[in-house]
Amino acid sequence: MSLNTEFPFTLPKGYVDAEGTLHRTGIMRLATARDEIEPLRDPRVKENEAYATVIVLARVITELGTVRQVTTKVVEGLFASDFAYLQDLYRIVNFGDPSILENLEPGSPFPKESLGVG
């Protein structure tokens, strides 16, 4: 038995970069304890606790289309629906049952029962 640590995704809308290129597919890896602890030291989180989510997502998204590096600026530039989608994906792969992802069409909403994790 092996542990899957990377999860491909397709954003419902997609990230549009500065050149106008649309990026919809990517990969999210499992989070480590460090991924959740390090953002707490960031002054942006001390000013606004909700910003921790932006930092954590920037750390665990390893690919997003042809974007070289997913930074907090990239995550800040996501459409609200894509940001919410990635938050849900994060909860499912880290705290829920990632096997539900196997039968979903790319970019489709997650089943409501899968979001009641944590």
Side-chain angles (χ1 to χ4, degrees):
M1 185 167 138
S2 66
L3 177 64
N4 187 13
T5 61
E6 293 188 325
F7 301 88
F9 63 83
T10 301
L11 295 174
K13 290 189 174 35
Y15 170 71
V16 180
D17 66 21
E19 288 78 41
T21 304
L22 180 66
H23 307 273
R24 288 192 67 213
T25 60
I27 295 177
M28 179 183 289
R29 67 168 173 78
L30 284 178
T32 64
R34 181 176 294 263
D35 291 323
E36 294 211 343
I37 294 168
E38 284 291 321
L40 301 177
R41 297 181 183 157
D42 191 293
R44 297 170 292 184
V45 174
K46 291 179 181 182
E47 186 177 309
N48 178 359
E49 288 180 19
Y51 199 76
T53 303
V54 172
I55 297 171
V56 170
L57 287 176
R59 292 175 66 104
V60 299
I61 298 170
T62 59
E63 291 181 26
L64 182 57
T66 59
V67 174
R68 287 186 184 261
Q69 183 179 7
V70 179
T71 63
T72 55
K73 184 173 172 91
V74 170
V75 175
E76 289 172 3
L78 292 168
F79 293 111
S81 60
D82 290 333
F83 182 71
Y85 178 88
L86 290 170
Q87 287 178 297
D88 290 344
L89 178 62
Y90 180 88
R91 281 192 293 275
I92 291 167
V93 302
N94 286 287
F95 306 109
D97 179 8
S99 68
I100 65 118
L101 303 173
E102 295 168 9
N103 298 319
L104 291 178
E105 289 294 318
S108 64
F110 300 114
K112 296 289 184 218
E113 61 274 6
S114 69
L115 300 177
V117 296

